[in-house]
């Protein structure tokens, strides 16, 4: 593939001839000084700018989180918050836990991590490999819910003697690590020619730290954050409104949140670009197959977001995209064909959910707040002739209710009519993208799961598809 010639960015600065590190006393000394690599095929003929990726997979724990994990521990030690023989506690999607676990091995600490059932099995197994205890918590609950991985980790900090919670979301040592290390590396590797930073936003430490450093060197540098549908960041940046209607389950790992971490400095971030789960997953695979770079899910999101923003770049621009972690943690997900088919991410011929929506087969989602009495749910379902309904708490989808279950509950105890509907709700219906094939939707609808929610991100609408809707198009 032809490559743009850019003599202002010598290959030795951004690629293969980086200075060798001296012998490291411990594995912690090997953190940082990661390479930068030019993207050639994915952006060729699409993005006119020079696109470089900062490959954080070269850190010992295969992710950028090694940097801030060690910084948080060292700052806690200096402040007397973490003492010899202590226990490190953290809620983590896996990568921060890995960095903390590696440092804990070297420094002699124990680790207890909480994570969500959305995270890949590979991430959980990796944490256990370093001797950490891992507690898996439900994803689809509010951060304040006692079952959430945030709440469980906070409870453990109070219960476990001589423990310290890293709190990567609000611990500003996270941002400091990237301001003092990652940002200067990017500036030096590009000879100060960087014009744009594109970075997935989760805890916010990377984009805020790197972005602040770069903007201090050149205020004209644009910092663009990659968000996901189901996260609150983009709307909050654009309107200042924390909208719980923006929150719903999503598959993409490592970016997006349903709250506002202290490390997300919105004043540093110029723009947020949302990327769908499907586009992120497909791009993750493309990076490996077209560039030979085995990167994680957030790298797919970042590259997909970059392509969505292609019209904003010129030939003179130098764009740096941060690749946070390694593809080995997603072997059971994005790199697994069966998993991709189950999620409707691999293209298939035939009718899709979008065709059903266009034909007017499914109706728009109707939901009831979980605090409303059951009798209101009965009335609502009767008036609209619905056999199932979704349940929300503060407008966030948390559960469902179908008429068979409702009928059995009313027969067993008629007084349940006056109780909050959340007391008898069932698990929430699964979310799928509007491009999901009807053939796949049919397999997802079962007696235990009588409906599927279809999200059309372009129109910002959610539809409910039931067995009867599928029968109407398949007969």
């Amino acid at each position: 593939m032809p490559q743009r010639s850019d003599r202002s960015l010598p290959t030795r600065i951004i690629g293969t001839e980086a200075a060798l590190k001296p012998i490291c006393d411990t594995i912690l000394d090997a953190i940082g000084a990661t390479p930068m690599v030019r993207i050639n095929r994915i952006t060729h003929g699409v993005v006119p700018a020079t696109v470089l990726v900062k490959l954080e997979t070269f850190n010992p724990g295969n992710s950028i989180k090694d940097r801030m994990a060690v910084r948080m521990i060292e700052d806690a030690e200096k402040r007397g918050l973490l003492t010899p023989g202590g226990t490190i506690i953290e809620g983590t999607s896996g990568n921060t836990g890995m960095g903390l676990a590696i440092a804990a091995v070297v420094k002699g600490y124990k680790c207890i991590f909480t994570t969500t059932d959305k995270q890949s099995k590979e991430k959980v197994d990796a944490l256990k490999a370093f001797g950490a205890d891992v507690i898996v918590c439900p994803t689809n609950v509010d951060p304040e819910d006692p079952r959430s991985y945030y709440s469980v980790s906070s409870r453990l900090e109070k219960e476990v003697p001589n423990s310290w919670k890293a709190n990567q979301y609000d611990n500003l040592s996270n941002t400091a690590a990237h301001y003092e290390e990652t940002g200067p590396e990017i500036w030096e590797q590009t000879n100060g020619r960087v014009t744009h930073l594109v970075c997935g936003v989760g805890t916010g430490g990377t984009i805020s730290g790197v972005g602040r450093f770069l903007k201090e060197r050149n205020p004209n540098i644009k910092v663009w954050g990659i968000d996901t549908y189901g996260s609150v960041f983009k709307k909050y940046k654009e309107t200042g409104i924390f909208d719980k209607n923006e929150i719903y389950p999503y598959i993409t790992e490592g970016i997006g949140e349903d709250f506002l971490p202290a490390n997300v400095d919105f004043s540093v971030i110029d723009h947020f670009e949302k990327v769908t789960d499907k586009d992120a997953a497909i791009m993750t695979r493309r990076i490996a197959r077209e560039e030979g770079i085995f990167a994680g899910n957030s790298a797919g999101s970042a590259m997909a977001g970059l392509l969505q923003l292609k019209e904003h770049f010129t030939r003179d621009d130098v764009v740096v995209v941060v690749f946070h972690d390694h593809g080995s943690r997603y072997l059971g997900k994005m790199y697994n064909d069966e998993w991709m088919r189950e999620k409707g991410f691999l293209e298939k011929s035939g009718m899709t959910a979008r065709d059903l929506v266009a034909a007017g087969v499914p109706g728009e989602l109707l939901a009831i707040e979980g605090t409303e009495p059951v009798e209101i749910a009965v009335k609502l379902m009767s008036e609209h002739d619905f056999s199932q309904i979704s349940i929300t708490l503060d407008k966030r989808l948390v559960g469902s209710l179908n008429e068979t279950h409702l009928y059995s509950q009313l027969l067993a105890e008629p007084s349940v009519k006056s109780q909050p509907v959340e007391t008898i709700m069932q698990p929430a219906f699964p979310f799928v993208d509007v491009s999901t094939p009807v053939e796949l939707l049919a397999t997802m609808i079962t007696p235990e799961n009588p409906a599927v929610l279809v999200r059309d991100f372009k129109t910002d609408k959610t539809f409910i598809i039931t067995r009867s809707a599928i029968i109407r198009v398949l007969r």
Side-chain angles (χ1 to χ4, degrees):
M1 180 66 64
Q3 180 173 301
R4 182 183 300 105
S5 176
D6 191 342
R7 295 299 145 196
S8 63
L9 288 169
T11 302
R12 66 177 182 83
I13 294 294
I14 64 172
T16 58
E17 297 179 17
L20 292 175
K21 284 187 173 183
I23 295 174
C24 300
D25 289 332
T26 74
I27 193 64
L28 303 185
D29 295 326
I31 295 172
T34 54
M36 193 171 282
V37 178
R38 189 188 301 266
I39 292 295
N40 296 300
R41 292 180 173 83
I42 290 176
T43 56
H44 180 72
V46 180
V47 178
T50 297
V51 178
L52 313 171
V53 295
K54 181 67 166 162
L55 275 182
E56 290 297 299
T57 61
F58 279 72
N59 285 303
N62 298 134
S63 94
I64 197 169
K65 300 294 187 178
D66 290 1
R67 297 176 183 262
M68 61 86 144
V70 173
R71 177 59 183 265
M72 289 191 299
I73 288 176
E74 291 178 346
D75 286 353
E77 290 171 335
K78 292 174 184 176
R79 296 173 59 191
L81 301 175
L82 185 58
T83 57
T87 299
I88 299 170
I89 295 174
E90 181 64 334
T92 173
S93 61
N95 289 325
T96 298
M98 176 68 78
L100 291 170
I102 291 172
V105 170
V106 174
K107 290 174 171 287
Y109 300 116
K110 302 184 185 72
C111 287
I112 302 176
F113 299 128
T114 61
T115 191
T116 67
D117 51 19
K118 180 180 77 174
Q119 307 308 324
S120 65
K121 182 177 183 296
E122 290 84 0
K123 285 184 177 180
V124 174
D125 289 344
L127 294 177
K128 291 180 178 179
F130 284 87
D133 292 329
V134 183
I135 300 171
V136 179
C137 304
T139 299
N140 193 27
V141 295
D142 283 318
E144 299 81 11
D145 189 295
R147 297 168 295 170
S148 76
Y149 81 117
Y150 311 109
S151 298
V152 173
S153 61
S154 295
R155 174 176 58 80
L156 289 172
E157 183 186 24
K158 297 175 183 177
E159 296 177 353
V160 177
N162 192 21
S163 64
W164 165 76
K165 181 178 176 179
N167 191 15
Q168 60 179 313
Y169 296 95
D170 298 329
N171 187 333
L172 297 183
S173 295
N174 179 352
T175 295
H178 299 295
Y179 175 82
E180 296 177 9
E181 299 173 15
T182 321
E185 287 180 22
I186 290 173
W187 182 258
E188 181 180 348
Q189 286 172 303
T190 62
N191 284 344
R193 288 289 313 285
V194 55
T195 60
H196 297 76
L197 174 70
V198 177
C199 181
V201 185
T203 67
T206 301
I207 195 167
S208 299
V210 174
R212 179 156 60 91
F213 177 88
L214 294 179
K215 286 196 169 192
E216 287 178 0
R217 297 304 182 277
N218 179 2
N220 294 322
I221 291 174
K222 298 298 182 184
V223 176
W224 289 344
I226 303 302
D227 197 13
T228 185
Y229 289 93
S231 167
V232 299
F233 290 149
K234 180 176 174 64
K235 184 167 185 177
Y236 184 81
K237 167 66 179 178
E238 296 174 353
T239 68
I241 298 171
F242 181 86
D243 187 358
K244 287 199 171 184
N245 287 320
E246 292 287 299
I247 302 171
Y248 43 82
Y250 58 89
I251 293 170
T252 300
E253 295 187 38
I255 68 171
E257 281 301 342
D258 51 7
F259 68 104
L260 302 176
N263 275 295
V264 181
D265 187 345
F266 288 92
S267 69
V268 168
I269 304 168
D270 297 296
H271 171 75
F272 278 93
E273 185 74 8
K274 281 189 182 259
V275 174
T276 67
D277 287 333
K278 180 178 180 180
D279 288 346
I282 291 173
M283 181 58 74
T284 302
R285 291 161 65 102
R286 283 189 62 191
I287 292 169
R289 296 181 179 189
E290 296 178 39
E291 301 292 341
I293 300 173
F294 198 31
N297 194 196
S298 62
S301 295
M303 284 301 297
L306 172 76
L307 265 58
Q308 290 174 194
L309 294 164
K310 61 187 178 182
E311 296 178 356
H312 296 272
F313 301 112
T314 70
R315 287 184 60 85
D316 295 328
D317 289 330
V318 177
V319 185
V320 174
V321 185
V322 178
F323 279 12
H324 285 85
D325 69 348
H326 200 261
S328 58
R329 287 167 191 169
Y330 305 89
L331 289 173
K333 289 191 172 184
M334 292 77 199
Y335 291 106
N336 182 289
D337 287 352
E338 184 177 348
W339 184 90
M340 290 286 286
R341 280 192 291 269
E342 287 176 357
K343 299 302 179 185
F345 293 164
L346 290 184
E347 295 294 342
K348 285 187 176 182
S349 59
M351 186 173 289
T352 67
R354 182 179 285 107
D355 298 316
L356 297 186
V357 171
V361 174
E364 276 198 59
L365 176 67
L366 185 64
I368 182 174
E369 276 287 294
T371 53
E372 294 280 359
V374 171
E375 59 187 346
I376 298 298
V378 173
K379 180 180 178 182
L380 198 61
M381 293 170 72
S382 177
E383 288 177 349
H384 294 273
D385 194 27
F386 284 171
S387 56
Q388 51 269 316
I389 193 170
S390 284
I391 312 299
T392 60
L393 284 177
D394 291 330
K395 299 182 179 180
R396 176 182 181 183
L397 287 168
V398 295
S400 66
L401 184 64
N402 69 60
E403 60 182 4
T404 302
H405 180 69
L406 175 61
Y407 179 70
S408 65
Q409 292 293 309
L410 290 172
L411 277 183
E413 183 54 65
S415 65
V416 78
K417 291 176 64 176
S418 61
Q419 295 178 15
V421 69
E422 64 181 319
T423 61
I424 64 167
M425 71 179 180
Q426 300 160 274
F429 300 130
F431 258 94
V432 297
D433 184 81
V434 72
S435 61
T436 302
V438 170
E439 179 184 346
L440 177 59
L441 290 176
T443 66
M444 298 173 69
I445 297 175
T446 65
E448 296 76 25
N449 183 59
V452 175
L453 302 183
V454 172
R455 183 73 174 177
D456 186 342
F457 295 111
K458 305 301 182 185
T459 64
D460 199 28
K461 292 182 179 179
T462 301
F463 302 88
I464 185 167
I465 294 182
T466 61
R467 181 182 289 104
S468 61
I470 299 295
I471 292 174
R472 285 169 61 184
V473 298
L474 292 182
R475 63 187 177 185

